[in-house]
Amino acid sequence: MGKALIIGAGGVASVAIHKCVQNSEVFEEICIASRTKSKCDELKAKLDGGKTKITTAQVDANNVEELIALINEVKPDIVMNLALPYQDLTIMDACLATKTHYMDTANYEPEDTAKFEYKWQWEYRERFEKAGITALLGSGFDPGVTGVFSAYALKHHFDEIEYIDILDCNAGDHGYPFATNFNPEINIREVSANGRYWEKGEWVETKPMEIKRVYNFPEVGEKDMYLLYHEELESLAVNIPGLKRIRFFMTFGQSYLTHLKCLENVGMTSIEPIEFEGKQIIPLQFLKAVLPDPASLGPRTKGKTNIGCIFKGKKDGKDKTYYVYNVCDHEACYKEVGSQAVSYTTGVPAMIGAMMILQGHWNKPGVYNIEQFDPDPFMDALNKWGLPWQENFNPVPVDEYPSEEDTKKVLETELV
Ligand code: NDP
């Protein structure tokens, strides 16, 4: 059916590439291109021999001219951007210049400011429309599947959604005292920033990790979770009409938080360059170099992830709640594609997003967030390609579990 140029050969790309190869009817040909070509060649060596034809290339995705030359050579139907958020705009520029469809899993973030937002990519709308090509933004899990879940809830279960809580639980244990499950630089930038949620048309800012809840996740059990700002809040607040509040919670273990606090206190999470032995270094990038490579966590990680959305709103004039989630097992993911569940839950939706465009379900010219498309073919594909979802029409709301009293008790216990 089509040809994809995949940029990046890290944790997420590796899963997406495994899935493209499993789905050779749609992905007849793929070219894997990244900064370090040997990683692309390793993936090719592992996966060659099936029906999907695989080629590899070296590219610096910060360089638009290099990207244009590569796209002109490979002539893909779509570019799958699975590099880092810093490369989003250069890759979009190259797609515009070559009239090629684009997709990614994370919104643009300038390398020198920890400020990720959609405004830069939304500015490309008119140009993509005029060029007759589609840009699909945020086709991972969160953002990604959480947006598809929202569109699905609105289409099938509600007349109006008033409240959304996105709950991201990773109960995986890799046995290290401190490691991040995906790119440490991106991960730490995300969790050390202020929290933020959207209520009654306004953003409410919190200190990092200021708001804590405890939740009993299906198939996982009780976990502490903290309110964070997460990029899909920005687009869902705009794209779900009538929304009164949207929040995002992520689980963290106490050991992770204690290490992070300590690293922050000594300045290791800073993105301000410092001089070290006559050389400018960025502490956070140095920290990334000393931490375990997320790809190496795969064989060590046990346990499950549970990511989903709880919706509250109105149907036929009555109050209604609905929880839709996916549970993913780290060891099962590793057995299937050689990666843990965090890369798996992002790489599978990346393949599905590209498939939606290649199959023609989602190709309308312009720049779109994932919730702006028909969720049904994507929801079907989740069940087929390894991320089956489950529903609960009577979930315990986040603020009711456990009672305020119990939460206070948990906090007091920690202080002792
Ligand atoms: P990794 O660090 O494992 O991989 C990034 C890849 O991009 C590496 O192969 C790297 O090359 C390559 N790369 C970096 N810079 C360039 C460049 N200038 N030119 C070409 N290639 C480059 O990251 P992950 O796989 O964990 O994450 C990939 C993306 O997925 C990120 O944008 C991340 O934010 C996003 N993500 C999204 C999630 C979601 O649910 N939506 C969840 C998790 C991640 P090299 O090998 O040389 O370093």
Side-chain angles (χ1 to χ4, degrees), residues 4 16 93 109 175-176 186 191 222 225 228 241 256 269 288 296 303 314 316 371 382:
D93 284 333
E109 178 170 345
Y176 287 117
I186 307 291
V191 302
E222 219 171 72
M225 60 182 193
L228 293 187
Y256 180 93
T269 58
K288 178 184 177 214
S296 73
K314 296 266 189 304
D316 302 325
E371 64 273 13
L382 285 171

Side-chain angles (χ1 to χ4, degrees), residues 7-14 33-40 43 58-63 66-67 81-88 90-91 104-107 109 111 138-146 168 181-184 186-187 190 230-232 288 293-295 307 340 342-343 345-347 349:
I7 301 183
V12 172
S14 168
S34 191
R35 185 168 53 188
T36 313
K37 185 167 176 284
S38 58
K39 288 195 193 166
C40 310
L43 282 164
Q58 199 278 330
V59 74
D60 175 4
N62 290 322
N63 183 323
E66 256 186 52
L67 286 165
N81 169 13
L82 305 178
L84 297 177
Y86 317 129
Q87 280 86 47
D88 287 4
T90 45
I91 299 177
D104 64 30
T105 65
N107 67 9
E109 178 170 345
E111 219 156 336
S139 190
F141 207 107
D142 42 345
V145 177
T146 51
D168 179 334
N181 291 298
F182 67 97
N183 187 293
I186 307 291
N187 182 234
E190 186 172 271
H230 220 243
E231 64 189 60
E232 67 265 50
K288 178 184 177 214
D293 176 359
I307 319 174
Q340 33 80 359
V342 176
S343 300
T345 51
T346 312

Side-chain angles (χ1 to χ4, degrees), residues 181-415:
N181 291 298
F182 67 97
N183 187 293
E185 204 185 322
I186 307 291
N187 182 234
I188 291 172
R189 279 166 79 132
E190 186 172 271
V191 302
S192 51
N194 275 348
R196 205 173 353 146
Y197 62 98
W198 190 85
E199 188 165 37
K200 293 182 195 143
E202 282 179 15
W203 290 104
V204 183
E205 189 133 329
T206 68
K207 294 198 199 81
M209 309 290 164
E210 186 186 355
I211 298 184
K212 176 187 173 180
R213 294 284 182 274
V214 182
Y215 202 72
N216 192 6
F217 289 90
E219 294 183 47
V220 168
E222 219 171 72
K223 294 281 163 199
D224 296 347
M225 60 182 193
Y226 297 83
L227 186 143
L228 293 187
Y229 178 64
H230 220 243
E231 64 189 60
E232 67 265 50
L233 301 185
E234 185 186 4
S235 70
L236 287 168
V238 174
N239 291 327
I240 302 295
L243 195 64
K244 289 186 178 153
R245 188 186 69 202
I246 180 164
R247 307 181 294 185
F248 182 97
F249 292 90
M250 191 179 270
T251 62
F252 293 100
Q254 205 48 55
S255 169
Y256 180 93
L257 292 179
T258 310
H259 279 80
L260 187 65
K261 190 86 236 152
C262 173
L263 290 166
E264 256 171 23
N265 285 346
V266 298
M268 281 306 296
T269 58
S270 166
I271 57 169
E272 290 298 319
I274 56 152
E275 193 162 312
F276 178 70
E277 295 186 345
K279 216 177 151 215
Q280 291 279 309
I281 63 163
I282 292 172
L284 183 53
Q285 285 177 359
F286 178 76
L287 176 62
K288 178 184 177 214
V290 298
L291 285 175
D293 176 359
S296 73
L297 303 178
R300 312 169 50 103
T301 309
K302 294 180 173 39
K304 289 179 179 174
T305 60
N306 177 328
I307 319 174
C309 306
I310 300 179
F311 302 95
K312 189 164 181 263
K314 296 266 189 304
K315 180 74 181 171
D316 302 325
K318 289 197 193 110
D319 284 343
K320 183 173 178 181
T321 53
Y322 173 63
Y323 184 16
V324 54
Y325 58 89
N326 161 264
V327 176
C328 203
D329 183 274
H330 285 285
E331 286 173 285
C333 295
Y334 189 74
K335 211 165 149 203
E336 186 196 328
V337 299
S339 303
Q340 33 80 359
V342 176
S343 300
Y344 191 91
T345 51
T346 312
V348 172
M351 179 282 284
I352 297 174
M355 176 171 79
M356 291 294 110
I357 291 174
L358 289 177
Q359 289 181 325
H361 295 298
W362 283 9
N363 49 1
K364 48 180 178 182
V367 173
Y368 297 97
N369 290 94
I370 201 161
E371 64 273 13
Q372 294 178 279
F373 291 105
D374 178 12
D376 292 355
F378 198 105
M379 291 293 273
D380 289 343
L382 285 171
N383 285 331
K384 179 168 177 194
W385 294 104
L387 296 176
W389 40 276
Q390 300 178 56
E391 303 173 298
N392 177 352
F393 289 88
N394 192 21
V396 179
V398 163
D399 297 306
E400 282 173 30
Y401 181 89
S403 68
E404 246 335 90
E405 279 269 306
D406 293 342
T407 311
K408 275 192 206 124
K409 257 187 240 152
V410 175
L411 284 170
E412 278 158 20
T413 318
E414 269 165 16
L415 291 173

